[in-house]
Amino acid sequence: MAAGSCLLLLLLLPSLVTASHSPPGCKIRITSKGLDLVKQEGLRFVEQELQNITVSDLHGNEGQFQYNISQVKVTDLQLALSDLNFQPQQHLVFNINNASISLRFRRQLLYWFFYDIGSINASADGVYIYTVLQLAKDEAGRLKISNMTCNASIARMHAGFSGTLRKVYEFLSTFIVTGMRFLLSQQICPSLEHASLVLLNSLLDTVPVRNYVDEHIGIDYSLLRDPSVSTDTLDLDFKGMFFPRVREDQELENHAVEPVIKETERMVYVAFSEYFFDSAMHSYFQAGVLTIELQGEKVPKDLEVLLRATFFGTIFMLSPSVDAPLRLMLQVSAPPRCTIKPSGTSVSVSAFLNISLVPPDRPPVQLSSMAMETKLSAKVFLQGKALRMQLDLRRFRIYSKQSALESLALFSLQAPLKTLLQLTIMPIINERTKKGVQIPLPEGMDFTREVVTNHAGFLTVGADLHFSKGLREVVEKYRPVPTAAA
């Protein structure tokens, strides 16, 4: 019995492993070049945060010397030697070496019977800051900074005194400088921790996770797992599944090839599998919107004349007037399928075309119902942060499911109906795909110099990054409102 249980477990193990690693419909890779750009913008953000450091008042006495230091403000920062790197298991390491911080604060000093008030300029040199940011998937499937460790120290600190008691101040400044050095070093890490866990996470909240594309469908960009980090790259696996808004809980199983990104030349790479596009077309099909109707004046005149000539015998036997308007109803019969090859991307569509007469105040009279099989070539491109698709009719075939003889009779309609699709139907479809779908990037960050490359079962978009808005601008826009308790 035990041997049978072990055998069953061994048989089920491959399927359990597959289920635990769902292939992504969309994958994003950030390279070291992209991290360098983020470092430049992030360094400006860190400088702004450190300039807002609040240092507590410092007061005390040493013999006959009493002092009170208040209104401490950072006046200048020099963070020349800084680095931001990927680090496996820890994700992101931000390192600042040999930085300097200039301060200005108010002094109140009492020495014997001498009382002095004024300001002091001080500088902290040899500032060292080492922070590790751990990235993870939260419960909603959103990328977040889950934890931060920080270590900060100041090697040297100098204070410049002026006035009649300058010599006395310089002799006793050790107490002030030591206290200020301690207080300042204690404020660096809490300031960066708040900037990371609160402010930067509010920026990550701007990344779309599950949102609506239009009135018919939505998309799920939730992360499937925690980020995968190497020394040169950070990979994010997104679900990349569309869903119909009428059935938002619908899940479409992913049997497509998992995208594999090997390139590292650009700042960022975004890969989309066939599943990404198939789920979009499946959702539109489920929403019942893959139907186009042309009636009356919307039917091209040349095609109408040909259709009336083709079905003249049928029309002549009908009781309604031969001049009754024509109606063409094109309805997709199954969810379209996307095929991605190194040579290009195509979409296969099966549909029915029903041709009817629509006499006034009378039920429609169907003249013919024909099956259609079409193959569309698809040009996928990125504009801004929107992934768009331009479709073009490549192959087209119509036939009758009733008889081979009727299929032969429909042969003369092949060319004019193809022209109808190209001139009338395809513009309608491309107008729907013109808006595209947003790529999951934070607000204020856009793509530039995009290049699309096809592979077997998936395509990749390589691009560089550009900050259309400053990090500070976006953070201030989405800064959490302080609570009463805070």
Side-chain angles (χ1 to χ4, degrees):
M1 187 69 177
S5 301
C6 291
L7 179 61
L8 180 61
L9 180 60
L10 290 174
L11 292 174
L12 289 176
L13 187 59
S15 62
L16 292 175
V17 172
T18 303
S20 64
H21 186 84
S22 303
C26 171
K27 174 178 283 191
I28 292 183
R29 163 169 289 183
I30 301 174
T31 67
S32 296
K33 292 182 179 179
L35 197 62
D36 287 340
L37 179 68
V38 174
K39 185 191 80 171
Q40 296 172 16
E41 187 66 24
L43 192 60
R44 284 192 288 268
F45 177 69
V46 169
E47 289 177 350
Q48 293 164 348
E49 285 301 304
L50 292 180
Q51 285 178 344
N52 295 325
I53 285 180
T54 301
V55 180
S56 302
D57 293 351
L58 177 66
H59 54 83
N61 60 78
E62 191 68 29
Q64 300 299 320
F65 179 65
Q66 300 179 31
Y67 57 89
N68 182 48
I69 302 300
S70 61
Q71 301 178 14
V72 181
K73 293 191 179 298
V74 176
T75 58
D76 186 45
L77 289 100
Q78 297 294 329
L79 307 180
L81 300 177
S82 63
D83 209 357
L84 180 64
N85 294 310
F86 294 120
Q87 191 171 96
Q89 306 303 323
Q90 293 180 316
H91 302 152
L92 289 179
V93 174
F94 185 55
N95 190 20
I96 295 177
N97 284 301
N98 202 27
S100 63
I101 303 176
S102 298
L103 304 170
R104 187 178 181 83
F105 46 87
R106 184 173 183 268
R107 71 174 189 262
Q108 291 176 293
L109 305 176
L110 177 64
Y111 182 67
W112 291 93
F113 302 106
F114 297 97
Y115 180 69
D116 186 44
I117 299 177
S119 60
I120 301 177
N121 293 321
S123 63
D125 300 320
V127 179
Y128 170 78
I129 305 173
Y130 182 84
T131 58
V132 177
L133 303 178
Q134 294 185 351
L135 304 177
K137 174 182 76 75
D138 68 3
E139 294 181 357
R142 191 185 302 274
L143 179 66
K144 283 297 181 71
I145 301 173
S146 60
N147 191 25
M148 173 187 170
T149 58
C150 177
N151 183 24
S153 62
I154 299 174
R156 300 171 303 279
M157 191 159 185
H158 306 282
F161 296 90
S162 60
T164 56
L165 299 178
R166 182 170 60 86
K167 293 295 183 181
V168 177
Y169 297 157
E170 289 177 352
F171 176 74
L172 299 172
S173 65
T174 304
F175 307 110
I176 298 176
V177 170
T178 302
M180 286 300 302
R181 176 183 169 189
F182 174 77
L183 290 177
L184 182 60
S185 63
Q186 292 298 304
Q187 292 300 316
I188 291 176
C189 283
S191 177
L192 295 181
E193 183 175 351
H194 177 265
S196 301
L197 299 181
V198 178
L199 300 183
L200 290 184
N201 273 337
S202 70
L203 173 69
L204 293 175
D205 283 337
T206 66
V207 178
V209 172
R210 188 178 177 91
N211 61 323
Y212 295 139
V213 177
D214 54 30
E215 64 270 25
H216 305 295
I217 67 170
I219 187 168
D220 188 338
Y221 272 132
S222 58
L223 282 171
L224 294 174
R225 54 193 65 89
D226 290 340
S228 175
V229 183
S230 71
T231 55
D232 299 315
T233 60
L234 183 147
D235 289 343
L236 302 168
D237 290 347
F238 297 93
K239 193 171 188 178
M241 184 198 76
F242 292 83
F243 57 86
R245 293 181 61 169
V246 293
R247 295 176 57 188
E248 294 194 13
D249 58 342
Q250 177 177 285
E251 291 280 341
L252 183 64
E253 195 170 349
N254 187 353
H255 298 289
V257 174
E258 179 172 349
V260 177
I261 304 175
K262 297 181 179 180
E263 300 88 347
T264 58
E265 291 77 17
R266 295 297 186 93
M267 293 184 182
V268 64
Y269 289 88
V270 189
F272 304 93
S273 74
E274 293 174 344
Y275 172 80
F276 181 86
F277 302 100
D278 283 346
S279 66
M281 294 180 288
H282 187 274
S283 297
Y284 275 123
F285 181 79
Q286 291 290 320
V289 296
L290 298 184
T291 301
I292 297 176
E293 180 180 314
L294 301 177
Q295 182 174 322
E297 296 181 354
K298 292 185 178 180
V299 180
K301 201 65 180 176
D302 294 344
L303 180 62
E304 180 181 359
V305 172
L306 182 61
L307 289 175
R308 289 183 183 278
T310 303
F311 298 103
F312 183 80
T314 307
I315 297 173
F316 188 76
M317 299 299 294
L318 298 174
S319 55
S321 169
V322 175
D323 292 332
L326 278 175
R327 181 176 69 185
L328 276 63
M329 178 76 73
L330 181 63
Q331 185 173 12
V332 175
S333 56
R337 296 298 303 272
C338 176
T339 302
I340 303 176
K341 297 180 179 180
S343 57
T345 303
S346 62
V347 178
S348 301
V349 184
S350 298
F352 289 110
L353 178 62
N354 296 321
I355 303 175
S356 307
L357 280 175
V358 189
D361 304 324
R362 301 196 63 174
V365 179
Q366 182 169 303
L367 301 179
S368 178
S369 178
M370 60 188 76
M372 298 174 53
E373 290 182 356
T374 61
K375 180 163 283 190
L376 311 174
S377 62
K379 178 184 177 183
V380 180
F381 59 98
L382 199 62
Q383 190 169 7
K385 280 193 292 191
L387 184 73
R388 300 181 178 182
M389 178 182 288
Q390 180 80 20
L391 297 171
D392 188 29
L393 183 61
R394 188 166 62 181
R395 285 192 296 182
F396 172 77
R397 184 172 76 95
I398 58 172
Y399 60 94
S400 172
K401 290 193 173 182
Q402 305 299 323
S403 66
L405 185 61
E406 187 175 359
S407 295
L408 186 62
L410 295 174
F411 184 77
S412 61
L413 294 176
Q414 187 94 7
L417 283 177
K418 184 177 181 179
T419 303
L420 170 71
L421 288 175
Q422 288 175 326
L423 299 181
T424 306
I425 307 300
M426 294 308 300
I428 297 176
I429 296 175
N430 282 322
E431 185 64 29
R432 291 183 178 180
T433 62
K434 184 178 179 180
K435 182 180 178 182
V437 61
Q438 296 295 307
I439 306 301
L441 276 184
E443 183 177 334
M445 188 178 290
D446 292 321
F447 295 108
T448 60
R449 300 176 61 237
E450 308 90 348
V451 175
V452 179
T453 306
N454 279 45
H455 304 271
F458 65 96
L459 59 85
T460 60
V461 181
D464 289 336
L465 293 172
H466 166 69
F467 280 94
S468 58
K469 296 180 181 178
L471 188 58
R472 168 63 55 186
E473 180 183 353
V474 180
V475 165
E476 291 298 331
K477 180 179 177 180
Y478 294 98
R479 180 185 289 271
V481 178
T483 61

